[in-house]
Amino acid sequence: MGTDLRTSLYWKACCPRVGPPFGLSDCKNNTNISFRDFLLQGGRFRSVQLRQTSNDGSQVLLPSKARDAKSAPGDSWVGSVESTRVEPARCDDHRHDRSVNFLSLRWSAGWYSGVIFAARALRGPNVRAALSLMEKKSADAIPVGEGGEGYRYRAFISYSSKDRSAAEKLQRSLESYRIPRPLRRSGIHRNERVSPIFRDRSDLKASADLGQTIKDALENSEYLIVLCSPAAANSKWVDKEISFFKELGRSDNIIAVIVRGVPAVNHPVREPEGAFPKALVGLRSGDGSLTEPLAADIQEPTDGRGGDGFNLAKLKIVATLLGVSLAELTQRQAEVDRRQRRVAQAVAAGMLILAVVAGIGAWIALEQSRMAERRLQNAVESAARQIGATVRYRDRYGVPSEVIEELLRSAEVDFGKLISDDETSPMLVFQRARLNLELAELLTLVDDEQSQQKVTPLIVETAATLDRLEQRYPSVLEWIGLASAPDPAAIAMLRLKLLDAEGQERTYAGNFNGAIAAAQSRVTLSEAWLSKTGSLSWHRELAQGHCRLGAYNYQRGKLAASAAAYEKCLETTRSLIQRRHDPSDRGDLMAALSSLATTLVEMDRRSDALLRQREAAETAKALVSAEPQNTEYQRTELVTLTRLGDMVLSVEMDVSRSLNAYEQALLISDKLTRSDSSRLDWQRDRSLLLERLASAHLRLADNADVTRSFENLRQAEQYARDAFEIAERILNNDPLNQEWLRDRSVLEERQGQIAFATYKHGGDTRKLEDSARWYAKAIADRRVILKADAERSFYKLDLAVVLVQFGEVAMETREYEQAERSLREALLMSNDLISSNEAQPIWLREVATVHAALAKLYQKRENFADALAEIQRAIALIRDLRRKFPDIVQYRRDEEYLVGKQSELAKLAPEVPEWPQP
């Protein structure tokens, strides 16, 4: 065996022009780099050199001509290399030319020819193939003295094409087998693996003889492994390979391996399942008889058959290849296995300790992260609550809108500091989405144009964020619990809040259909999650979704749809109350009952409305009884009783029972306002309640008893004056508040009615002047309100009503032209209302009222024919309402009054025909 030398193959190279594959600095500094990388990245070669480094460190450039030489005793090599150019074209720029050491190997004389072969191959155009061949020859070659006398392969596998899968598996298993270290330490086997193993990878071409490649492989293989099966036994190529190998004088190196069939010579008749080819049994024993070989059987033992199984068969083959006994191999392998198990156990124990330590550290870090997220969430919620409370203080304590807007501007800055734009953490992204919706809700409460313009971008951004959160996949850290992410249910809950914000934003823009669609989406989402989880929180969200759907349909004028949605809300809320005892659910029930009652009144289903409102009042009373100190529940009962009085007065025309409800509400109002006189919301509730009391006493003044009439008028005037003072104080806090301005206009109208009624009973013309003055103020305020929102039908109806009353006052002052202008304007508005898609049946009564007022005007002008025509129009409208709603007492009384006026006018103008029914 020759002494080891270190020989290096150098190429004169120029770097690639575009993007050095290994960095320009590497290219310029003679750094050892990968030959393969250089080739694959576009490097080009100018020349090839082979240098030898001896043990003393000196380098010798190998001669360019093939020759045998010796530099010193014991230092030998065989082979040659020629300096050659391999590039197809010259490098245009040689400034970066470097002699780069691509390969440095330690070898003995037996390895050298492979490198020389590769170096010669580099002269050809297929550099990649040369590289691959060089790597194969240099890495896989068996050193001289190991595995045989210079054999290139450990073994040659001979097999039938039908046994290809078994051959591939056996080859992989043998080449991957590591020789036990005790055998390697013995000095006989220094290689770690039993390799290489030759296996023909393509079918042989039809010819009369074996191919030269196969012959070369057989000549260079120490052993022949024959995969025996019925197919192999009938394969002439397997038979030829065995025969050729035997001719080489290596019969003792043939290893038979049964993959299918039985251990017998194959015969088409006597033994069709025989696995041995005839060439295997061609050897004769000492007595001259044919013998069958001993074979490893890779078949698994089944039904009592003695197959070895794949693993044992593989060990038998390896033992033969290594020239040791199976017992010694298995013993050595067992020692290795035991040592590996001990090492594995030690490593596992160490890894377990590390895993425990890492787990504890990760848990601590996770807990700290969660605490930080909770602190952040609490900070966001606290800030939102503070700003939200400030916005609500506008209604409670009269905080001006300018102050609220300034607070919101500061809140935007503060919220931006709480959560950055970093979207790497899903929880931060989620918290930012929550923050956007909190801010949008606060801006909506301000209810001005500038604030509303900021709402839409927040909604769009939040919708996109939630879409990304819903579509993302959990990370590995989230799966194993080392990172947190928002729960899908929490994302869905935030989606509900987004839909609420969208509904409010679209309502403000007048897009009621869009608001209805948002509410319907809310209902659908709640139903899906309720079905999935059965959680009571989703049960409540479903009820709230139906209520929002009812509110948006009411605003759109779709009263039937509104009533249906409120009924579903009531049904869902009652079901929830049966499953849990939460006061907030009863509060939801009361609010839904009251809202439904309002809708039913508009539909002229007043009896149903009264029943619902009474149930709402009873529910509110139960809430107060459960928590007597809860002022919000007390306020709820006050509002509910006030609306109940309205319903009783509208449906039953029972002023006494209506007053009873109002007076109960007044007691609650006294208690609340005494406890905190600065609460503007409580003051406003009191102002509205006093207006109702004034209206009720005004109705009681329509009495034959003059004394009682004047007493009721004085009481009504006092209530109206007190209410007006409160409304003025509230409006001074925010003169642009439309609701508060309407409250004042209603009280101006009510005082005009009281002054006019006082004039009618006593004839005091000063009261008539007061009435005209109050009506003029009411008209002015309502024109301002209508100008701000010209599409609101309710505001048009308000103005039409007060115009009619102002016309009646003008008739009393004999200003007939003024009266007719006022009445005609009112009629025009009323007809516009009932011809719209939002027309409500109750509006027909207002149109009838205008026709009756015009009849009165024409009668004063002694234009009896026109007067009779107008009264007949009014009768036709009221009778139409009576047919639709026969239980409404007010319509019956209206018809009786109008029929009486018709009879009176008929006597004055008998020639006018009766007005046709609509």
Side-chain angles (χ1 to χ4, degrees):
M1 182 183 303
T3 302
D4 290 341
L5 300 175
R6 188 181 67 200
T7 304
S8 300
L9 197 61
Y10 285 77
W11 281 268
K12 192 71 172 179
C14 56
C15 296
R17 283 179 157 240
V18 181
F22 41 80
L24 188 58
S25 61
D26 293 331
C27 182
K28 292 179 179 180
N29 294 306
N30 279 347
T31 305
N32 287 346
I33 57 175
S34 167
F35 174 42
R36 175 181 291 277
D37 288 345
F38 189 87
L39 282 179
L40 298 183
Q41 297 293 338
R44 291 177 292 168
F45 303 102
R46 301 183 60 213
S47 63
V48 180
Q49 294 177 341
L50 190 64
R51 298 180 185 177
Q52 172 202 333
T53 302
S54 301
N55 292 338
D56 59 2
S58 62
Q59 287 192 357
V60 178
L61 180 63
L62 296 184
S64 59
K65 300 297 182 181
R67 66 181 179 86
D68 295 338
K70 290 188 178 181
S71 59
D75 291 45
S76 64
W77 64 88
V78 178
S80 65
V81 64
E82 295 181 359
S83 177
T84 181
R85 291 184 178 274
V86 297
E87 62 174 357
R90 290 179 54 84
C91 294
D92 296 330
D93 186 357
H94 302 312
R95 286 176 297 172
H96 300 314
D97 286 2
R98 292 292 183 268
S99 295
V100 185
N101 182 357
F102 284 95
L103 181 62
S104 181
L105 298 174
R106 294 183 65 83
W107 54 39
S108 62
W111 292 30
Y112 193 77
S113 60
V115 178
I116 300 305
F117 183 81
R120 287 174 175 172
L122 285 170
R123 285 179 294 179
N126 193 346
V127 179
R128 292 176 183 263
L131 173 62
S132 175
L133 181 58
M134 186 189 73
E135 290 177 344
K136 175 72 177 176
K137 299 294 182 179
S138 62
D140 291 343
I142 302 175
V144 175
E146 294 191 25
E149 298 178 357
Y151 292 114
R152 189 181 306 164
Y153 304 107
R154 285 282 190 178
F156 182 107
I157 298 178
S158 178
Y159 64 95
S160 168
S161 60
K162 294 183 179 180
D163 300 324
R164 183 182 300 276
S165 60
E168 292 174 349
K169 180 179 179 181
L170 182 61
Q171 182 190 25
R172 287 194 304 269
S173 182
L174 290 176
E175 291 189 333
S176 63
Y177 179 79
R178 298 186 64 180
I179 301 174
R181 183 172 294 179
L183 291 178
R184 298 202 306 272
R185 283 203 300 264
S186 66
I188 301 175
H189 307 284
R190 292 193 298 168
N191 278 3
E192 290 188 0
R193 303 187 185 277
V194 183
S195 64
I197 305 295
F198 183 90
R199 178 181 63 83
D200 176 36
R201 303 190 180 193
S202 62
D203 293 331
L204 294 173
K205 297 180 181 179
S207 64
D209 199 1
L210 292 174
Q212 186 59 42
T213 302
I214 299 300
K215 287 183 178 181
D216 289 345
L218 286 168
E219 288 175 353
N220 287 280
S221 299
E222 183 179 6
Y223 286 88
L224 175 65
I225 300 174
V226 181
L227 300 190
C228 301
S229 69
N234 290 293
S235 171
K236 65 177 181 178
W237 303 115
V238 172
D239 196 75
K240 284 178 178 293
E241 288 168 354
I242 297 171
S243 299
F244 183 80
F245 197 78
K246 288 164 63 177
E247 290 173 2
L248 296 175
R250 304 178 200 161
S251 300
D252 293 338
N253 287 8
I254 297 177
I255 304 172
V257 180
I258 299 175
V259 294
R260 285 184 294 115
V262 297
V265 179
N266 185 274
H267 190 279
V269 177
R270 293 193 302 271
E271 195 63 69
E273 290 299 315
F276 293 146
K278 292 179 181 180
L280 273 183
V281 297
L283 300 177
R284 297 181 179 273
S285 62
D287 59 1
S289 62
L290 295 177
T291 61
E292 292 184 353
L294 295 176
D297 191 345
I298 68 174
Q299 299 177 101
E300 297 298 330
T302 56
D303 299 331
R305 276 191 74 252
D308 297 323
F310 184 84
N311 290 329
L312 180 57
K314 178 187 72 174
L315 290 178
K316 287 183 177 182
I317 298 170
V318 172
T320 304
L321 293 177
L322 297 179
V324 298
S325 66
L326 178 62
E328 182 181 2
L329 180 63
T330 53
Q331 179 184 354
R332 300 302 187 187
Q333 186 65 49
E335 293 174 3
V336 172
D337 292 343
R338 284 194 297 271
R339 183 170 58 254
Q340 288 180 345
R341 280 196 298 271
R342 287 194 297 271
V343 172
Q345 290 170 355
V347 171
M351 293 300 295
L352 178 61
I353 294 172
L354 290 176
V356 171
V357 173
I360 294 173
W363 179 81
I364 294 173
L366 178 61
E367 285 300 309
Q368 291 176 345
S369 175
R370 287 174 176 172
M371 289 178 62
E373 288 176 355
R374 285 194 292 270
R375 285 194 295 268
L376 177 61
Q377 180 176 345
N378 292 336
V380 171
E381 292 176 350
S382 176
R385 282 196 301 270
Q386 293 300 322
I387 299 298
T390 304
V391 173
R392 287 186 286 274
Y393 288 163
R394 178 194 62 174
D395 296 331
R396 291 185 178 182
Y397 302 109
V399 178
S401 296
E402 293 81 3
V403 176
I404 300 297
E405 292 171 5
E406 180 62 31
L407 287 171
L408 284 177
R409 281 193 291 271
S410 300
E412 289 183 71
V413 176
D414 293 340
F415 285 170
K417 293 177 181 178
L418 280 176
I419 299 180
S420 66
D421 291 330
D422 180 15
E423 297 189 356
T424 58
S425 168
M427 287 303 299
L428 282 179
V429 174
F430 179 74
Q431 294 296 344
R432 185 169 188 82
R434 289 186 64 241
L435 173 64
N436 284 342
L437 291 182
E438 293 288 352
L439 193 56
E441 183 179 359
L442 301 180
L443 290 168
T444 301
L445 290 175
V446 175
D447 196 25
D448 65 353
E449 187 67 28
Q450 184 178 3
S451 298
Q452 288 299 320
Q453 289 176 354
K454 299 179 181 179
V455 171
T456 302
L458 292 173
I459 290 176
V460 172
E461 179 184 346
T462 304
T465 299
L466 292 183
D467 289 342
R468 290 197 303 272
L469 287 173
E470 289 171 343
Q471 294 169 6
R472 68 179 293 274
Y473 292 98
S475 65
V476 175
L477 293 178
E478 292 169 21
W479 275 111
I480 62 178
L482 296 181
S484 59
D487 184 78
I491 298 176
M493 278 289 185
L494 200 60
R495 176 74 69 178
L496 293 185
K497 195 166 186 177
L498 171 65
L499 292 171
D500 289 342
E502 288 179 350
Q504 293 172 351
E505 185 262 342
R506 292 168 183 175
T507 300
Y508 184 88
N511 182 10
F512 294 107
N513 289 332
I516 291 170
Q520 186 60 59
S521 298
R522 191 188 201 284
V523 169
T524 302
L525 182 60
S526 300
E527 287 175 340
W529 276 92
L530 177 60
S531 175
K532 183 186 300 184
T533 65
S535 171
L536 295 183
S537 60
W538 286 107
H539 200 135
R540 183 175 186 270
E541 293 299 336
L542 177 59
Q544 292 298 303
H546 286 305
C547 279
R548 283 169 173 75
L549 193 58
Y552 294 144
N553 275 298
Y554 177 83
Q555 292 175 300
R556 180 68 179 85
K558 297 181 177 180
L559 297 183
S562 174
Y566 280 128
E567 291 286 3
K568 289 183 179 179
C569 177
L570 289 175
E571 179 184 353
T572 308
T573 305
R574 287 193 176 102
S575 173
L576 183 60
I577 291 173
Q578 291 175 355
R579 299 177 63 183
R580 72 179 187 183
H581 300 284
D582 190 331
S584 63
D585 296 336
R586 294 190 176 275
D588 294 341
L589 178 65
M590 184 277 304
L593 286 166
S594 190
S595 297
L596 177 58
T598 301
T599 303
L600 294 175
V601 167
E602 293 289 338
M603 297 173 69
D604 262 350
R605 292 172 54 185
R606 302 195 181 189
S607 298
D608 293 337
L610 182 57
L611 290 174
R612 299 296 189 185
Q613 193 61 45
R614 280 177 175 156
E615 185 180 355
E618 292 171 0
T619 304
K621 185 176 181 180
L623 286 172
V624 174
S625 299
E627 297 184 39
Q629 303 304 317
N630 191 318
T631 56
E632 291 304 315
Y633 288 165
Q634 293 177 33
R635 186 193 178 205
T636 298
E637 185 181 15
L638 183 157
V639 173
T640 306
L641 286 171
T642 302
R643 298 183 73 174
L644 178 61
D646 296 343
M647 298 286 178
V648 171
L649 194 62
S650 174
V651 177
E652 298 180 343
M653 306 294 292
D654 191 333
V655 181
S656 298
R657 294 182 63 184
S658 177
L659 273 174
N660 182 49
Y662 292 147
E663 288 167 355
Q664 290 181 50
L666 186 60
L667 293 175
I668 301 173
S669 178
D670 291 340
K671 181 180 178 180
L672 289 174
T673 53
R674 281 197 302 268
S675 66
D676 188 355
S677 59
S678 62
R679 285 285 296 268
L680 289 192
D681 52 344
W682 293 351
Q683 292 289 342
R684 182 169 182 254
D685 293 340
R686 185 176 183 83
S687 174
L688 297 177
L689 176 58
L690 291 173
E691 183 272 323
R692 301 298 202 283
L693 285 165
S695 181
H697 281 284
L698 180 60
R699 284 176 178 260
L700 290 175
D702 190 11
N703 195 299
D705 189 337
V706 177
T707 303
R708 291 186 62 185
S709 294
F710 274 107
E711 180 61 31
N712 282 308
L713 285 172
R714 281 193 296 272
Q715 188 67 55
E717 186 177 7
Q718 183 62 47
Y719 282 137
R721 187 182 301 115
D722 292 344
F724 185 78
E725 290 176 359
I726 295 173
E728 284 273 62
R729 287 200 308 270
I730 294 174
L731 187 60
N732 287 337
N733 288 279
D734 190 358
L736 300 179
N737 191 300
Q738 298 292 301
E739 291 184 359
W740 295 351
L741 184 59
R742 183 178 182 277
D743 291 345
R744 188 179 72 175
S745 74
V746 169
L747 287 166
E748 289 166 343
E749 176 190 355
R750 199 68 66 234
Q751 291 193 86
Q753 292 173 344
I754 295 170
F756 187 71
T758 304
Y759 160 75
K760 295 291 286 185
H761 281 82
D764 189 347
T765 56
R766 290 176 302 177
K767 292 294 183 181
L768 186 61
E769 293 173 359
D770 288 344
S771 178
R773 178 170 53 84
W774 284 115
Y775 281 138
K777 289 183 177 181
I779 290 171
D781 282 346
R782 291 186 182 179
R783 289 191 189 280
V784 171
I785 295 170
L786 184 61
K787 184 178 180 181
D789 191 353
E791 300 301 320
R792 285 290 292 273
S793 301
F794 192 69
Y795 292 161
K796 290 181 181 180
L797 185 63
D798 272 355
L799 181 56
V801 169
V802 75
L803 284 170
V804 171
Q805 295 176 90
F806 182 74
E808 291 180 346
V809 173
M811 279 188 271
E812 290 296 327
T813 58
R814 297 182 182 277
E815 297 177 4
Y816 297 133
E817 292 183 359
Q818 176 65 39
E820 186 169 6
R821 284 198 301 272
S822 181
L823 293 174
R824 287 295 176 187
E825 183 181 359
L827 183 61
L828 182 64
M829 285 188 175
S830 300
N831 285 331
D832 184 49
L833 286 173
I834 63 174
S835 62
S836 69
N837 294 330
E838 302 176 8
Q840 305 302 323
I842 196 172
W843 296 351
L844 294 175
R845 184 173 184 269
E846 301 304 329
V847 180
T849 302
V850 179
H851 284 300
L854 283 170
K856 183 178 180 180
L857 174 63
Y858 292 145
Q859 184 178 2
K860 284 183 175 291
R861 287 181 166 183
E862 297 184 354
N863 185 352
F864 301 117
D866 288 345
L868 185 58
E870 292 294 339
I871 210 70
Q872 287 175 351
R873 292 188 180 96
I875 290 173
L877 291 169
I878 294 299
R879 283 178 175 169
D880 183 37
L881 286 173
R882 282 213 65 194
R883 281 194 299 272
K884 294 178 180 177
F885 309 102
D887 297 332
I888 303 299
V889 177
Q890 181 67 59
Y891 296 159
R892 177 173 57 81
R893 293 184 179 181
D894 288 344
E895 184 181 15
E896 291 173 355
Y897 168 78
L898 292 172
V899 168
K901 290 295 293 183
Q902 182 185 31
S903 299
E904 179 185 340
L905 291 171
K907 296 176 182 178
L908 299 174
E911 70 281 2
V912 178
E914 185 172 347
W915 190 261
Q917 297 295 325

